[in-house]
Amino acid sequence: MNVYLDNAATTPMTSEVVDAMTTVLRSNFGNPSSIHSFGREAKAIIENARRSIAKLVNCVAKEIIFTSGGTEADNMAILCSIKDLGVNHVITTSIEHHAVGHAVDAAIEKYGVKLSKVKLTENGHVDLDDLVAILEANRADKILVSLMHANNEVGNLLPIKKVSEICRKYEAYFHSDTVQTMGHYAIDIAALDIDFLTCSAHKFHGPKGVGFLYVNKNLKINPLIEGGAQERGLRGGTENISGIVGLKTALELANEETASHQAHVQGLKTYMIERLRSEIEDVRFHGDIDPAHSLYTVLNVCFPNFKKQEMLLFMLDLEGVACSGGSACTAGANMGSHVLRGLNADTSRSNVRFSFSRFTTKEEIDFAMEKIHKIMKED
Ligand SMILES: Cc1ncc(COP(=O)(O)O)c(C=O)c1O
């Protein structure tokens, strides 16, 4: 048996997504910029997908800019807000995904913008009082706040609506990386009243290499990469038609029964927490595990010390359980996880991120638990 518990890294595509993409790959090879019928047909497919996606997330179609995924969309939001909107101060945290963190570093280097990192609470939530204090103290600045909706390593959820209200009050732009939440929660952009939002298809059973940036229609940005006039001149390059159709199909399927998917996956996560707590002494969890404030697909476990702890991830893989690491020793990298470091977590222990999808079963959790016991017993 092989069990895949690394769905925060990527998810398998559903057969409906593969079918929809295959149809396009086989039949719609035209270049959407061509004016003949082949091109017009391809263009229509993209614009229909854009309209469907906009409807699902409640925004206007022209506010969706297709990109090569979450990384490009994050870079675009951060760098374009600096070069085109006059942002001279970015507020973020130390636990954002590198797509945001490294884009901010690059912006500091290139444009010399000011950076403020919001404090985190003890269990890793963004300290909203500190956010307000920073905004209050820097009223003269043109500010972009970039805070992820859910952390990809520990799963903490941001009260995104509250943050957008704070940002509006202080007239700061607000970008949220919703890569881990899009397709897992109903996202209503109009209700959120946000400036930029990032999506990546492969986190909700869509294809890799495609996503979008939502850009509020009131903002006038220029392209990050110069090129053709695709995406209303905002993102040059011949469009990834099959990828865009895969993204649309995956988002439609994910949004069909979000509540029942959530109940199923949260049930599995709670079950695994209970088993770990009752069967392994001194097991801990990173981040907040309260379902009201935690992404239901992610569980970051801090195991007690045992002899072969440095080998845990590797041995789980050998036993047929795919998951991912957090601490320096388990990740096999010198740097370890910047998120766990940012949370001052105990990285001397084995930290493992288990992440689930709507296709994960209780039997798979039982299998993983059996293998965890086996490996810990071999001590
Ligand atoms: C929170 C978050 N943001 C951005 C990304 C990058 O997305 P992509 O792989 O589509 O570039 C990821 C992927 O791991 C992620 O988890």
Side-chain angles (χ1 to χ4, degrees), residues 8-10 68-74 96-100 148 150-153 177-180 198-203 207-211 353:
T10 196
S68 63
T71 302
E72 184 187 335
D74 281 341
E96 300 301 305
H97 190 273
H98 284 320
V100 165
M148 67 204 309
N151 185 275
N152 51 301
E153 288 195 34
D177 177 326
T178 51
V179 165
Q180 292 290 341
T198 303
C199 162
S200 175
H202 72 100
K203 307 292 185 177
K208 292 162 188 58
V210 64
R353 179 187 69 182

PDB file of all heavy atoms in Angstrom, residues 8-10 68-74 96-100 148 150-153 177-180 198-203 207-211 353, ligand 1:
ATOM      1  N   ALA A   8      -0.561  19.194   0.700  1.00  0.00           N
ATOM      2  CA  ALA A   8      -0.258  20.635   0.715  1.00  0.00           C
ATOM      3  C   ALA A   8       0.869  20.934  -0.269  1.00  0.00           C
ATOM      4  O   ALA A   8       1.053  22.075  -0.697  1.00  0.00           O
ATOM      5  CB  ALA A   8       0.116  21.094   2.121  1.00  0.00           C
ATOM      6  N   ALA A   9       1.648  19.891  -0.621  1.00  0.00           N
ATOM      7  CA  ALA A   9       2.708  20.073  -1.620  1.00  0.00           C
ATOM      8  C   ALA A   9       2.078  20.092  -3.007  1.00  0.00           C
ATOM      9  O   ALA A   9       2.330  20.987  -3.813  1.00  0.00           O
ATOM     10  CB  ALA A   9       3.739  18.960  -1.519  1.00  0.00           C
ATOM     11  N   THR A  10       1.284  19.089  -3.265  1.00  0.00           N
ATOM     12  CA  THR A  10       0.502  19.066  -4.501  1.00  0.00           C
ATOM     13  C   THR A  10      -0.554  17.975  -4.378  1.00  0.00           C
ATOM     14  O   THR A  10      -0.467  17.105  -3.510  1.00  0.00           O
ATOM     15  CB  THR A  10       1.379  18.840  -5.751  1.00  0.00           C
ATOM     16  OG1 THR A  10       0.629  19.197  -6.922  1.00  0.00           O
ATOM     17  CG2 THR A  10       1.849  17.397  -5.877  1.00  0.00           C
ATOM     18  N   SER A  68       1.482  31.468 -14.420  1.00  0.00           N
ATOM     19  CA  SER A  68       2.059  30.117 -14.406  1.00  0.00           C
ATOM     20  C   SER A  68       1.920  29.462 -13.031  1.00  0.00           C
ATOM     21  O   SER A  68       2.515  28.437 -12.774  1.00  0.00           O
ATOM     22  CB  SER A  68       3.547  30.190 -14.767  1.00  0.00           C
ATOM     23  OG  SER A  68       4.233  30.945 -13.784  1.00  0.00           O
ATOM     24  N   GLY A  69       1.172  30.074 -12.144  1.00  0.00           N
ATOM     25  CA  GLY A  69       0.936  29.459 -10.838  1.00  0.00           C
ATOM     26  C   GLY A  69       1.021  30.467  -9.714  1.00  0.00           C
ATOM     27  O   GLY A  69       1.010  31.694  -9.950  1.00  0.00           O
ATOM     28  N   GLY A  70       1.122  29.939  -8.492  1.00  0.00           N
ATOM     29  CA  GLY A  70       1.105  30.783  -7.307  1.00  0.00           C
ATOM     30  C   GLY A  70       2.331  31.675  -7.199  1.00  0.00           C
ATOM     31  O   GLY A  70       2.232  32.844  -6.820  1.00  0.00           O
ATOM     32  N   THR A  71       3.493  31.140  -7.541  1.00  0.00           N
ATOM     33  CA  THR A  71       4.734  31.912  -7.386  1.00  0.00           C
ATOM     34  C   THR A  71       4.705  33.166  -8.253  1.00  0.00           C
ATOM     35  O   THR A  71       5.004  34.265  -7.788  1.00  0.00           O
ATOM     36  CB  THR A  71       5.948  31.027  -7.749  1.00  0.00           C
ATOM     37  OG1 THR A  71       5.926  29.887  -6.895  1.00  0.00           O
ATOM     38  CG2 THR A  71       7.251  31.775  -7.579  1.00  0.00           C
ATOM     39  N   GLU A  72       4.325  32.997  -9.500  1.00  0.00           N
ATOM     40  CA  GLU A  72       4.282  34.162 -10.394  1.00  0.00           C
ATOM     41  C   GLU A  72       3.233  35.170  -9.912  1.00  0.00           C
ATOM     42  O   GLU A  72       3.474  36.395  -9.934  1.00  0.00           O
ATOM     43  CB  GLU A  72       3.972  33.724 -11.832  1.00  0.00           C
ATOM     44  CG  GLU A  72       4.012  34.903 -12.797  1.00  0.00           C
ATOM     45  CD  GLU A  72       3.550  34.554 -14.214  1.00  0.00           C
ATOM     46  OE1 GLU A  72       3.632  33.380 -14.608  1.00  0.00           O
ATOM     47  OE2 GLU A  72       3.098  35.481 -14.902  1.00  0.00           O
ATOM     48  N   ALA A  73       2.094  34.670  -9.477  1.00  0.00           N
ATOM     49  CA  ALA A  73       1.027  35.579  -9.031  1.00  0.00           C
ATOM     50  C   ALA A  73       1.470  36.363  -7.791  1.00  0.00           C
ATOM     51  O   ALA A  73       1.236  37.575  -7.696  1.00  0.00           O
ATOM     52  CB  ALA A  73      -0.245  34.775  -8.748  1.00  0.00           C
ATOM     53  N   ASP A  74       2.131  35.699  -6.851  1.00  0.00           N
ATOM     54  CA  ASP A  74       2.633  36.397  -5.656  1.00  0.00           C
ATOM     55  C   ASP A  74       3.651  37.466  -6.050  1.00  0.00           C
ATOM     56  O   ASP A  74       3.600  38.601  -5.575  1.00  0.00           O
ATOM     57  CB  ASP A  74       3.312  35.399  -4.697  1.00  0.00           C
ATOM     58  CG  ASP A  74       2.301  34.605  -3.877  1.00  0.00           C
ATOM     59  OD1 ASP A  74       1.138  35.039  -3.759  1.00  0.00           O
ATOM     60  OD2 ASP A  74       2.679  33.534  -3.346  1.00  0.00           O
ATOM     61  N   GLU A  96       5.632  33.610   5.760  1.00  0.00           N
ATOM     62  CA  GLU A  96       4.980  33.508   4.439  1.00  0.00           C
ATOM     63  C   GLU A  96       5.702  32.460   3.598  1.00  0.00           C
ATOM     64  O   GLU A  96       6.860  32.111   3.859  1.00  0.00           O
ATOM     65  CB  GLU A  96       5.046  34.860   3.722  1.00  0.00           C
ATOM     66  CG  GLU A  96       4.366  36.000   4.444  1.00  0.00           C
ATOM     67  CD  GLU A  96       2.888  35.775   4.695  1.00  0.00           C
ATOM     68  OE1 GLU A  96       2.153  35.511   3.728  1.00  0.00           O
ATOM     69  OE2 GLU A  96       2.466  35.864   5.869  1.00  0.00           O
ATOM     70  N   HIS A  97       5.061  31.995   2.556  1.00  0.00           N
ATOM     71  CA  HIS A  97       5.713  31.116   1.580  1.00  0.00           C
ATOM     72  C   HIS A  97       6.863  31.892   0.924  1.00  0.00           C
ATOM     73  O   HIS A  97       6.806  33.123   0.802  1.00  0.00           O
ATOM     74  CB  HIS A  97       4.686  30.689   0.523  1.00  0.00           C
ATOM     75  CG  HIS A  97       5.176  29.605  -0.388  1.00  0.00           C
ATOM     76  ND1 HIS A  97       5.887  29.875  -1.531  1.00  0.00           N
ATOM     77  CD2 HIS A  97       5.072  28.259  -0.310  1.00  0.00           C
ATOM     78  CE1 HIS A  97       6.194  28.739  -2.132  1.00  0.00           C
ATOM     79  NE2 HIS A  97       5.717  27.739  -1.411  1.00  0.00           N
ATOM     80  N   HIS A  98       7.901  31.174   0.478  1.00  0.00           N
ATOM     81  CA  HIS A  98       9.038  31.856  -0.163  1.00  0.00           C
ATOM     82  C   HIS A  98       8.602  32.673  -1.387  1.00  0.00           C
ATOM     83  O   HIS A  98       9.285  33.635  -1.762  1.00  0.00           O
ATOM     84  CB  HIS A  98      10.100  30.837  -0.589  1.00  0.00           C
ATOM     85  CG  HIS A  98      10.913  30.322   0.571  1.00  0.00           C
ATOM     86  ND1 HIS A  98      11.340  31.137   1.599  1.00  0.00           N
ATOM     87  CD2 HIS A  98      11.375  29.077   0.871  1.00  0.00           C
ATOM     88  CE1 HIS A  98      12.027  30.428   2.476  1.00  0.00           C
ATOM     89  NE2 HIS A  98      12.062  29.169   2.062  1.00  0.00           N
ATOM     90  N   ALA A  99       7.516  32.272  -2.031  1.00  0.00           N
ATOM     91  CA  ALA A  99       7.046  33.044  -3.199  1.00  0.00           C
ATOM     92  C   ALA A  99       6.737  34.478  -2.802  1.00  0.00           C
ATOM     93  O   ALA A  99       6.885  35.398  -3.612  1.00  0.00           O
ATOM     94  CB  ALA A  99       5.806  32.382  -3.802  1.00  0.00           C
ATOM     95  N   VAL A 100       6.329  34.688  -1.567  1.00  0.00           N
ATOM     96  CA  VAL A 100       6.108  36.047  -1.057  1.00  0.00           C
ATOM     97  C   VAL A 100       7.395  36.559  -0.402  1.00  0.00           C
ATOM     98  O   VAL A 100       7.891  37.635  -0.731  1.00  0.00           O
ATOM     99  CB  VAL A 100       4.926  36.067  -0.051  1.00  0.00           C
ATOM    100  CG1 VAL A 100       4.913  37.372   0.752  1.00  0.00           C
ATOM    101  CG2 VAL A 100       3.612  35.898  -0.796  1.00  0.00           C
ATOM    102  N   MET A 148      -0.659  35.627   4.149  1.00  0.00           N
ATOM    103  CA  MET A 148      -1.284  34.440   3.552  1.00  0.00           C
ATOM    104  C   MET A 148      -2.557  34.045   4.297  1.00  0.00           C
ATOM    105  O   MET A 148      -2.655  34.219   5.514  1.00  0.00           O
ATOM    106  CB  MET A 148      -0.291  33.281   3.504  1.00  0.00           C
ATOM    107  CG  MET A 148       0.119  32.733   4.832  1.00  0.00           C
ATOM    108  SD  MET A 148       1.737  31.882   4.797  1.00  0.00           S
ATOM    109  CE  MET A 148       1.574  30.756   3.451  1.00  0.00           C
ATOM    110  N   ALA A 150      -3.822  30.913   4.601  1.00  0.00           N
ATOM    111  CA  ALA A 150      -3.515  29.764   5.473  1.00  0.00           C
ATOM    112  C   ALA A 150      -2.057  29.422   5.292  1.00  0.00           C
ATOM    113  O   ALA A 150      -1.551  29.402   4.164  1.00  0.00           O
ATOM    114  CB  ALA A 150      -4.370  28.569   5.123  1.00  0.00           C
ATOM    115  N   ASN A 151      -1.390  29.153   6.394  1.00  0.00           N
ATOM    116  CA  ASN A 151       0.022  28.796   6.304  1.00  0.00           C
ATOM    117  C   ASN A 151       0.162  27.365   5.787  1.00  0.00           C
ATOM    118  O   ASN A 151      -0.489  26.450   6.298  1.00  0.00           O
ATOM    119  CB  ASN A 151       0.690  28.951   7.673  1.00  0.00           C
ATOM    120  CG  ASN A 151       2.171  28.713   7.575  1.00  0.00           C
ATOM    121  OD1 ASN A 151       2.616  27.582   7.639  1.00  0.00           O
ATOM    122  ND2 ASN A 151       2.926  29.774   7.366  1.00  0.00           N
ATOM    123  N   ASN A 152       1.042  27.188   4.795  1.00  0.00           N
ATOM    124  CA  ASN A 152       1.158  25.881   4.142  1.00  0.00           C
ATOM    125  C   ASN A 152       1.871  24.834   4.996  1.00  0.00           C
ATOM    126  O   ASN A 152       1.787  23.655   4.715  1.00  0.00           O
ATOM    127  CB  ASN A 152       1.869  26.016   2.790  1.00  0.00           C
ATOM    128  CG  ASN A 152       3.176  26.765   2.898  1.00  0.00           C
ATOM    129  OD1 ASN A 152       3.201  27.910   3.331  1.00  0.00           O
ATOM    130  ND2 ASN A 152       4.262  26.120   2.530  1.00  0.00           N
ATOM    131  N   GLU A 153       2.575  25.257   6.048  1.00  0.00           N
ATOM    132  CA  GLU A 153       3.272  24.265   6.874  1.00  0.00           C
ATOM    133  C   GLU A 153       2.510  23.902   8.141  1.00  0.00           C
ATOM    134  O   GLU A 153       2.490  22.746   8.535  1.00  0.00           O
ATOM    135  CB  GLU A 153       4.675  24.766   7.231  1.00  0.00           C
ATOM    136  CG  GLU A 153       5.594  24.746   6.029  1.00  0.00           C
ATOM    137  CD  GLU A 153       7.062  24.886   6.404  1.00  0.00           C
ATOM    138  OE1 GLU A 153       7.473  24.396   7.461  1.00  0.00           O
ATOM    139  OE2 GLU A 153       7.787  25.500   5.611  1.00  0.00           O
ATOM    140  N   ASP A 177      -2.139  35.522  -0.137  1.00  0.00           N
ATOM    141  CA  ASP A 177      -1.812  34.287  -0.842  1.00  0.00           C
ATOM    142  C   ASP A 177      -2.837  33.252  -0.378  1.00  0.00           C
ATOM    143  O   ASP A 177      -2.799  32.778   0.756  1.00  0.00           O
ATOM    144  CB  ASP A 177      -0.380  33.877  -0.475  1.00  0.00           C
ATOM    145  CG  ASP A 177       0.031  32.557  -1.095  1.00  0.00           C
ATOM    146  OD1 ASP A 177      -0.836  31.682  -1.237  1.00  0.00           O
ATOM    147  OD2 ASP A 177       1.227  32.384  -1.416  1.00  0.00           O
ATOM    148  N   THR A 178      -3.779  32.937  -1.266  1.00  0.00           N
ATOM    149  CA  THR A 178      -4.839  31.985  -0.916  1.00  0.00           C
ATOM    150  C   THR A 178      -4.587  30.626  -1.582  1.00  0.00           C
ATOM    151  O   THR A 178      -5.523  29.866  -1.846  1.00  0.00           O
ATOM    152  CB  THR A 178      -6.230  32.532  -1.331  1.00  0.00           C
ATOM    153  OG1 THR A 178      -6.166  32.942  -2.696  1.00  0.00           O
ATOM    154  CG2 THR A 178      -6.649  33.702  -0.482  1.00  0.00           C
ATOM    155  N   VAL A 179      -3.294  30.349  -1.831  1.00  0.00           N
ATOM    156  CA  VAL A 179      -2.943  29.107  -2.534  1.00  0.00           C
ATOM    157  C   VAL A 179      -3.428  27.871  -1.765  1.00  0.00           C
ATOM    158  O   VAL A 179      -3.874  26.901  -2.370  1.00  0.00           O
ATOM    159  CB  VAL A 179      -1.413  29.065  -2.790  1.00  0.00           C
ATOM    160  CG1 VAL A 179      -0.946  27.673  -3.166  1.00  0.00           C
ATOM    161  CG2 VAL A 179      -1.045  30.050  -3.896  1.00  0.00           C
ATOM    162  N   GLN A 180      -3.371  27.907  -0.447  1.00  0.00           N
ATOM    163  CA  GLN A 180      -3.770  26.718   0.313  1.00  0.00           C
ATOM    164  C   GLN A 180      -5.266  26.699   0.647  1.00  0.00           C
ATOM    165  O   GLN A 180      -5.774  25.682   1.155  1.00  0.00           O
ATOM    166  CB  GLN A 180      -2.955  26.599   1.611  1.00  0.00           C
ATOM    167  CG  GLN A 180      -1.477  26.298   1.385  1.00  0.00           C
ATOM    168  CD  GLN A 180      -1.217  24.887   0.863  1.00  0.00           C
ATOM    169  OE1 GLN A 180      -2.059  23.985   0.968  1.00  0.00           O
ATOM    170  NE2 GLN A 180      -0.040  24.672   0.301  1.00  0.00           N
ATOM    171  N   THR A 198      -4.064  35.359  -4.631  1.00  0.00           N
ATOM    172  CA  THR A 198      -3.286  34.409  -5.436  1.00  0.00           C
ATOM    173  C   THR A 198      -3.897  33.017  -5.434  1.00  0.00           C
ATOM    174  O   THR A 198      -4.295  32.517  -4.387  1.00  0.00           O
ATOM    175  CB  THR A 198      -1.865  34.301  -4.822  1.00  0.00           C
ATOM    176  OG1 THR A 198      -1.282  35.579  -4.791  1.00  0.00           O
ATOM    177  CG2 THR A 198      -0.988  33.365  -5.609  1.00  0.00           C
ATOM    178  N   CYS A 199      -3.896  32.383  -6.609  1.00  0.00           N
ATOM    179  CA  CYS A 199      -4.440  31.017  -6.719  1.00  0.00           C
ATOM    180  C   CYS A 199      -3.474  30.125  -7.504  1.00  0.00           C
ATOM    181  O   CYS A 199      -2.829  30.569  -8.447  1.00  0.00           O
ATOM    182  CB  CYS A 199      -5.780  31.078  -7.458  1.00  0.00           C
ATOM    183  SG  CYS A 199      -6.333  29.510  -8.140  1.00  0.00           S
ATOM    184  N   SER A 200      -3.399  28.857  -7.099  1.00  0.00           N
ATOM    185  CA  SER A 200      -2.597  27.865  -7.825  1.00  0.00           C
ATOM    186  C   SER A 200      -3.412  26.588  -7.988  1.00  0.00           C
ATOM    187  O   SER A 200      -3.884  26.020  -7.002  1.00  0.00           O
ATOM    188  CB  SER A 200      -1.320  27.570  -7.030  1.00  0.00           C
ATOM    189  OG  SER A 200      -0.613  26.536  -7.652  1.00  0.00           O
ATOM    190  N   ALA A 201      -3.574  26.134  -9.244  1.00  0.00           N
ATOM    191  CA  ALA A 201      -4.505  25.030  -9.524  1.00  0.00           C
ATOM    192  C   ALA A 201      -4.097  23.689  -8.924  1.00  0.00           C
ATOM    193  O   ALA A 201      -4.953  22.870  -8.589  1.00  0.00           O
ATOM    194  CB  ALA A 201      -4.663  24.883 -11.046  1.00  0.00           C
ATOM    195  N   HIS A 202      -2.771  23.460  -8.786  1.00  0.00           N
ATOM    196  CA  HIS A 202      -2.372  22.096  -8.401  1.00  0.00           C
ATOM    197  C   HIS A 202      -2.597  21.780  -6.929  1.00  0.00           C
ATOM    198  O   HIS A 202      -2.358  20.664  -6.488  1.00  0.00           O
ATOM    199  CB  HIS A 202      -0.919  21.810  -8.830  1.00  0.00           C
ATOM    200  CG  HIS A 202       0.155  22.501  -8.047  1.00  0.00           C
ATOM    201  ND1 HIS A 202       0.863  21.862  -7.060  1.00  0.00           N
ATOM    202  CD2 HIS A 202       0.667  23.754  -8.114  1.00  0.00           C
ATOM    203  CE1 HIS A 202       1.772  22.704  -6.560  1.00  0.00           C
ATOM    204  NE2 HIS A 202       1.664  23.848  -7.189  1.00  0.00           N
ATOM    205  N   LYS A 203      -3.089  22.769  -6.167  1.00  0.00           N
ATOM    206  CA  LYS A 203      -3.379  22.508  -4.753  1.00  0.00           C
ATOM    207  C   LYS A 203      -4.819  22.012  -4.564  1.00  0.00           C
ATOM    208  O   LYS A 203      -5.217  21.670  -3.465  1.00  0.00           O
ATOM    209  CB  LYS A 203      -3.161  23.760  -3.908  1.00  0.00           C
ATOM    210  CG  LYS A 203      -1.796  24.406  -4.073  1.00  0.00           C
ATOM    211  CD  LYS A 203      -0.658  23.565  -3.527  1.00  0.00           C
ATOM    212  CE  LYS A 203       0.651  24.343  -3.623  1.00  0.00           C
ATOM    213  NZ  LYS A 203       1.781  23.643  -3.049  1.00  0.00           N
ATOM    214  N   PRO A 207      -4.095  21.070 -12.591  1.00  0.00           N
ATOM    215  CA  PRO A 207      -2.737  20.855 -13.116  1.00  0.00           C
ATOM    216  C   PRO A 207      -1.699  21.798 -12.504  1.00  0.00           C
ATOM    217  O   PRO A 207      -2.036  22.862 -11.982  1.00  0.00           O
ATOM    218  CB  PRO A 207      -2.909  21.163 -14.606  1.00  0.00           C
ATOM    219  CG  PRO A 207      -4.069  22.097 -14.677  1.00  0.00           C
ATOM    220  CD  PRO A 207      -4.979  21.764 -13.541  1.00  0.00           C
ATOM    221  N   LYS A 208      -0.453  21.397 -12.599  1.00  0.00           N
ATOM    222  CA  LYS A 208       0.656  22.253 -12.164  1.00  0.00           C
ATOM    223  C   LYS A 208       0.961  23.289 -13.253  1.00  0.00           C
ATOM    224  O   LYS A 208       0.645  23.076 -14.417  1.00  0.00           O
ATOM    225  CB  LYS A 208       1.900  21.400 -11.893  1.00  0.00           C
ATOM    226  CG  LYS A 208       1.731  20.494 -10.682  1.00  0.00           C
ATOM    227  CD  LYS A 208       2.741  19.388 -10.669  1.00  0.00           C
ATOM    228  CE  LYS A 208       2.444  18.381  -9.566  1.00  0.00           C
ATOM    229  NZ  LYS A 208       1.084  17.756  -9.653  1.00  0.00           N
ATOM    230  N   GLY A 209       1.581  24.385 -12.833  1.00  0.00           N
ATOM    231  CA  GLY A 209       2.010  25.376 -13.816  1.00  0.00           C
ATOM    232  C   GLY A 209       0.907  26.297 -14.289  1.00  0.00           C
ATOM    233  O   GLY A 209       1.034  26.909 -15.349  1.00  0.00           O
ATOM    234  N   VAL A 210      -0.162  26.419 -13.518  1.00  0.00           N
ATOM    235  CA  VAL A 210      -1.214  27.374 -13.883  1.00  0.00           C
ATOM    236  C   VAL A 210      -1.908  27.869 -12.612  1.00  0.00           C
ATOM    237  O   VAL A 210      -2.066  27.129 -11.640  1.00  0.00           O
ATOM    238  CB  VAL A 210      -2.225  26.765 -14.895  1.00  0.00           C
ATOM    239  CG1 VAL A 210      -2.986  25.603 -14.316  1.00  0.00           C
ATOM    240  CG2 VAL A 210      -3.174  27.822 -15.450  1.00  0.00           C
ATOM    241  N   GLY A 211      -2.255  29.125 -12.641  1.00  0.00           N
ATOM    242  CA  GLY A 211      -2.948  29.742 -11.512  1.00  0.00           C
ATOM    243  C   GLY A 211      -3.448  31.089 -11.966  1.00  0.00           C
ATOM    244  O   GLY A 211      -3.515  31.362 -13.167  1.00  0.00           O
ATOM    245  N   ARG A 353       4.816  17.138   8.506  1.00  0.00           N
ATOM    246  CA  ARG A 353       3.535  17.677   8.045  1.00  0.00           C
ATOM    247  C   ARG A 353       2.779  16.588   7.305  1.00  0.00           C
ATOM    248  O   ARG A 353       3.248  16.070   6.295  1.00  0.00           O
ATOM    249  CB  ARG A 353       3.753  18.866   7.125  1.00  0.00           C
ATOM    250  CG  ARG A 353       2.431  19.438   6.599  1.00  0.00           C
ATOM    251  CD  ARG A 353       2.643  20.501   5.555  1.00  0.00           C
ATOM    252  NE  ARG A 353       3.169  19.964   4.307  1.00  0.00           N
ATOM    253  CZ  ARG A 353       3.469  20.708   3.242  1.00  0.00           C
ATOM    254  NH1 ARG A 353       3.331  22.018   3.283  1.00  0.00           N
ATOM    255  NH2 ARG A 353       3.930  20.139   2.138  1.00  0.00           N
TER     256      ARG A 353
HETATM  257  C1  LIG B   1       1.160  29.146   0.265  1.00  0.00           C
HETATM  258  C2  LIG B   1       1.790  28.906  -1.062  1.00  0.00           C
HETATM  259  N1  LIG B   1       2.034  29.948  -1.875  1.00  0.00           N
HETATM  260  C3  LIG B   1       2.589  29.788  -3.087  1.00  0.00           C
HETATM  261  C4  LIG B   1       2.934  28.546  -3.548  1.00  0.00           C
HETATM  262  C5  LIG B   1       3.558  28.423  -4.908  1.00  0.00           C
HETATM  263  O1  LIG B   1       2.616  27.997  -5.843  1.00  0.00           O
HETATM  264  P1  LIG B   1       3.104  27.358  -7.255  1.00  0.00           P
HETATM  265  O2  LIG B   1       3.642  25.999  -6.928  1.00  0.00           O
HETATM  266  O3  LIG B   1       1.853  27.290  -8.085  1.00  0.00           O
HETATM  267  O4  LIG B   1       4.104  28.276  -7.835  1.00  0.00           O
HETATM  268  C6  LIG B   1       2.706  27.419  -2.744  1.00  0.00           C
HETATM  269  C7  LIG B   1       3.106  26.063  -3.200  1.00  0.00           C
HETATM  270  O5  LIG B   1       3.722  25.309  -2.491  1.00  0.00           O
HETATM  271  C8  LIG B   1       2.113  27.606  -1.462  1.00  0.00           C
HETATM  272  O6  LIG B   1       1.871  26.576  -0.654  1.00  0.00           O
END
